[in-house]
Amino acid sequence: PSEVSWDVVTFGDLSTIDVASIVIYLVVLAVVTVYVNYKVGGADSEHYFLGGRDIPWWAVGFSLFASNLGTDHLVGLAGSGAAQGIAVGCWEWSACYVLLILGWVFVPHYLEFGIFTVPEYL
């Protein structure tokens, strides 16, 4: 039987510390996920999506901001703005007003029916 050679397994330009950092991050993420699921519970959708309603407003705000911010915003919009000008920024600002209007329209229905997600609404 031939011996496995680790020379064949490459990670591109990643060093050992890079791979170790990624593995440690994934392990810590898994531990935190299991702990939070055990501590808060995932018995129903309210606890799963709303954390049992024990989360402070600033944590909810950061979560919404972080889930909405991605590579398309950091790289794509900067490139679009450089190519097309201020119109791209105006388009993004209009999204703020539309989201507020949608919140005022849909949140009362969500609260009335006791639902927490769009799929439950549909």
Side-chain angles (χ1 to χ4, degrees), residues 4 16 28 31 35 39 46 56 72 74 77-79 82 88 91-92 102-103 113 119:
V4 175
T16 305
V28 169
V31 168
Y35 172 76
K39 185 76 173 166
E46 180 179 359
D72 58 332
L74 299 175
L77 288 176
V88 176
W91 173 262
E92 284 298 311
L102 288 173
F113 294 114

Side-chain angles (χ1 to χ4, degrees), residues 25-60:
Y25 169 77
L26 292 174
V27 168
V28 169
L29 182 65
V31 168
V32 168
T33 301
V34 169
Y35 172 76
V36 169
N37 192 30
Y38 176 75
K39 185 76 173 166
V40 175
D44 56 10
S45 61
E46 180 179 359
H47 281 87
Y48 182 78
F49 288 108
L50 302 178
R53 297 186 182 268
D54 292 331
I55 300 174
W57 65 269
W58 54 267
V60 174

Side-chain angles (χ1 to χ4, degrees), residues 3-22:
E3 209 173 299
V4 175
S5 172
W6 287 102
D7 295 336
V8 178
V9 179
T10 61
F11 295 105
D13 292 334
L14 296 178
S15 68
T16 305
I17 191 74
D18 296 330
V19 175
S21 299
I22 293 169

